[in-house]
Amino acid sequence: MTRLVGHDEVWREWRAAVSGGRMHHGWLLTGARGLGKAGFALAAAADLVAEPGVAQPAPEHHPDILLLQRLPATSEDEKKRDDGKPFATKRNISVDQVRAMQRRLTTRPTLGSHRVIIFDSADDLEKSAVNALLKSLEEPPAGTIFLLVSHRPGGLLPTVRSRCRTLRFAPLADDEVARIVAAERAAASGDAARAAVAAAHGSPGAALDFIDDDLAVIRRELLGIVAEGDPDFARRGALASAIGARPDRDRLLASVELARAICAERAPLASRAVQARLIEAHARLTRFGAEIPFANYDAGLAVVEIGGLLAAAAPPKESG
């Protein structure tokens, strides 16, 4: 699994726990989006449920590995998923999905002594689903291990976090990300690949998405706003064109993440006054990004919000 490059320490911690004989039942896999946490969860689950001498299906089809994700948004999206095409998803992992999982827990594992439940991601759980999950975390069936992927663990309930042991995934070095991009997106131009690595901040998934979603133009417009300001709203108009008239939530969220990353890049090099504005913009973009998966946003208003925060953080124009 290419995206698991560089996580040797996480594997060492996991395997030490497995071999220790007293495996914790709940694990929180934290780190930036795109580091390979979900891929790790599937691979770790496959290792855990494997039994000597028993043939094992692929993790995605294993009867003792349950993967909970946001479901397709419509029946048409279900068809697209089944055909291997891109599809839209619902906003949340629902309480019905969690309850269906809990019904499975009343039976024994199929092929061995362990069963693994993966939430990708726990950030997507609706409120009632979180409350339902807590019951299972408080009284886990014997042999059941929960792996909760989380890009923003601070948004999870403290009662969830306290019942899990944390595995932290660190960003990869730029050269590692570059090797992954070269291997998996060989057709990308050199400029696009370099821009993707620079924007990814150690996340190979973010770099690949950057190329796939053609985010270079968005990043260029964001950089222009934060460097020069946007007194006549012209740059925000260009940003709106780059994002598109009807972007999906993922594209809006990607734009917010790019804006946050730009603030983080520029803050250490800025004057104290500009640095304070960049930090404030970063904090507000973080809150805005956390709301996007759960709210209906007009694309135009979202662009105004993103562009306005960066414009407010731009250094003042020197008087002539």
Side-chain angles (χ1 to χ4, degrees):
M1 293 188 180
T2 307
R3 294 193 189 188
L4 298 184
V5 169
H7 297 309
D8 294 343
E9 182 57 37
V10 174
W11 275 113
R12 279 193 290 270
E13 186 174 349
W14 170 260
R15 286 172 175 149
V18 172
S19 62
R22 297 189 64 182
M23 186 71 171
H24 199 282
H25 70 276
W27 293 78
L28 191 60
L29 280 52
T30 68
R33 188 183 300 272
L35 290 177
K37 300 185 296 295
F40 171 91
L42 282 169
D47 282 354
L48 189 61
V49 302
E51 294 284 338
V54 179
Q56 300 292 313
E60 296 85 351
H61 306 293
H62 200 292
D64 296 327
I65 299 175
L66 278 64
L67 176 60
L68 277 75
Q69 299 174 302
R70 289 183 290 169
L71 295 173
T74 65
S75 58
E76 185 62 31
D77 287 306
E78 287 183 21
K79 295 178 183 177
K80 291 179 181 178
R81 178 196 61 185
D82 295 342
D83 292 339
K85 299 177 181 178
F87 61 95
T89 64
K90 295 182 178 180
R91 294 181 186 175
N92 305 106
I93 297 173
S94 71
V95 66
D96 290 339
Q97 289 175 264
V98 175
R99 287 173 177 161
M101 174 271 293
Q102 289 171 326
R103 289 193 289 272
R104 289 282 298 276
L105 299 186
T106 62
T107 64
R108 295 178 60 84
T110 303
L111 298 181
S113 57
H114 287 97
R115 176 183 282 135
V116 180
I117 316 298
I118 300 171
F119 286 84
D120 181 22
S121 76
D123 306 333
D124 295 331
L125 286 161
E126 64 185 18
K127 184 176 180 180
S128 53
V130 174
N131 293 331
L133 172 61
L134 271 173
K135 295 180 181 178
S136 294
L137 290 175
E138 290 167 352
E139 300 178 1
T144 297
I145 305 297
F146 295 89
L147 301 180
L148 279 62
V149 173
S150 177
H151 317 304
R152 291 194 177 98
L156 298 176
L157 289 177
T159 45
V160 171
R161 298 198 303 269
S162 67
R163 286 164 173 77
C164 296
R165 178 172 167 178
T166 299
L167 282 175
R168 292 183 174 86
F169 288 69
L172 304 188
D174 282 354
D175 60 342
E176 292 177 314
V177 177
R179 285 197 295 271
I180 293 172
V181 169
E184 300 201 12
R185 298 295 184 274
S189 70
D191 288 345
R194 285 189 290 273
V197 173
H201 293 276
S203 168
L208 298 175
D209 289 343
F210 185 96
I211 292 171
D212 294 344
D213 297 336
D214 193 21
L215 300 180
V217 177
I218 296 176
R219 185 170 187 266
R220 184 187 67 206
E221 299 301 339
L222 293 170
L223 284 168
I225 293 172
V226 78
E228 303 292 336
D230 188 29
D232 60 0
F233 281 73
R235 291 187 181 275
R236 269 167 277 194
L239 177 62
S241 296
I243 292 176
R246 299 182 62 185
D248 58 20
R249 288 194 303 273
D250 289 341
R251 191 163 180 82
L252 279 179
L253 188 57
S255 301
V256 172
E257 294 298 326
L258 284 173
R260 289 177 66 242
I262 288 169
C263 291
E265 288 171 8
R266 297 178 68 89
L269 306 176
S271 67
R272 182 170 296 183
V274 174
Q275 185 179 71
R277 294 200 293 272
L278 287 166
I279 292 171
E280 172 63 17
H282 186 278
R284 292 180 64 180
L285 285 163
T286 299
R287 292 194 293 271
F288 184 52
E291 295 169 358
I292 285 177
F294 310 107
N296 283 321
Y297 276 102
D298 176 87
L301 293 178
V303 171
V304 169
E305 179 75 11
I306 297 167
L309 289 171
L310 289 188
K317 294 287 185 183
E318 295 183 4
S319 56

